[in-house]
Amino acid sequence: DALRDLPSDSEDEDEIKPKTPARAEAYPAVEAPAAATPPPSGGVFSLAGAPSLGVAYTLVKMSRYCLMFWLPYFLSTHAGLAPSTAGVLSAVFDVAGVAGSISAGVLCDRLMGGRMLAASVPYLLCAAVTFAAWAALCRHDAANGATEGGAPPSFAAHALAIGLAGFFIAAPDGIYGGAAPRNLCDYAKRGGDAALAAAAAGFVNGCGSVGAI
């Protein structure tokens, strides 16, 4: 009986031998990465708002670059200003544009909650009104013979019109050529699609370059 109570060699080996953890516990399963969302079949043209934004940026860029390159000639030829005065006055357009771009960023961040496209609408409306008023001023000066040596054009009125035009047209230019294409991807619930965002930015800026040309 005493011998029967003694542990056998196999039982001693089982107690001494360490237990090896199961393979599943030692190496937990790694979840497979989620499949990437397939790109839209129509490319960037299937992104809602991309074609419209491209057309808008074409017109904005056309208006801004037309004034940047031809404003001194226009003021001296069609507004009756002296060439030296026209050159100085045209600089107001670029200086006011810097202020307009800064104000667009403040408006977008502080008041519009990051909605860049919505923030550009009041600038575009004000730019249209400014261009119409400036055209009326030029017609008034032409009617008074400003281009033929008659009544001199109003320097202050032209400076104000040029400053307002530069202020209001530079704001949407900075928005459309900057982060607005990425904004479209966020609206379409595809903010994480870097390829689509890059394609949209390239398309919109390409349209703007066509307008500049």
Side-chain angles (χ1 to χ4, degrees):
D1 295 338
L3 292 175
R4 195 179 299 121
D5 296 334
L6 293 176
S8 61
D9 294 339
S10 60
E11 293 178 356
D12 292 341
E13 291 177 358
D14 293 340
E15 294 178 359
I16 297 173
K17 187 177 180 179
K19 293 183 179 180
T20 303
R23 187 174 184 83
E25 297 177 357
Y27 303 99
V30 178
E31 295 182 0
T37 305
S41 57
V44 68
F45 292 101
S46 67
L47 181 63
S52 300
L53 184 59
V55 173
Y57 197 35
T58 300
L59 299 176
V60 167
K61 205 78 167 179
M62 183 189 302
S63 302
R64 189 180 185 192
Y65 272 62
C66 180
L67 292 176
M68 287 175 61
F69 294 139
W70 293 97
L71 189 54
Y73 175 80
F74 172 81
L75 291 175
S76 60
T77 304
H78 298 282
L81 293 172
S84 58
T85 304
V88 174
L89 191 57
S90 62
V92 176
F93 182 80
D94 293 323
V95 174
V98 174
S101 298
I102 295 174
S103 70
V106 175
L107 176 65
C108 183
D109 293 338
R110 301 288 179 85
L111 300 178
M112 304 299 293
R115 294 177 295 167
M116 304 172 194
L117 297 177
S120 68
V121 173
Y123 287 98
L124 292 174
L125 294 176
C126 291
V129 173
T130 300
F131 282 131
W134 191 13
L137 174 62
C138 292
R139 286 197 299 268
H140 176 269
D141 290 342
N144 291 334
T147 58
E148 300 174 358
S154 173
F155 179 87
H158 280 285
L160 178 61
I162 292 171
L164 291 176
F167 182 90
F168 291 127
I169 201 66
D173 189 350
I175 292 174
Y176 295 164
R182 181 56 182 266
N183 225 192
L184 293 179
C185 296
D186 294 336
Y187 291 153
K189 309 299 183 183
R190 297 184 62 86
D193 193 339
L196 181 61
F203 169 74
V204 172
N205 281 275
C207 291
S209 298
V210 171
I213 294 172

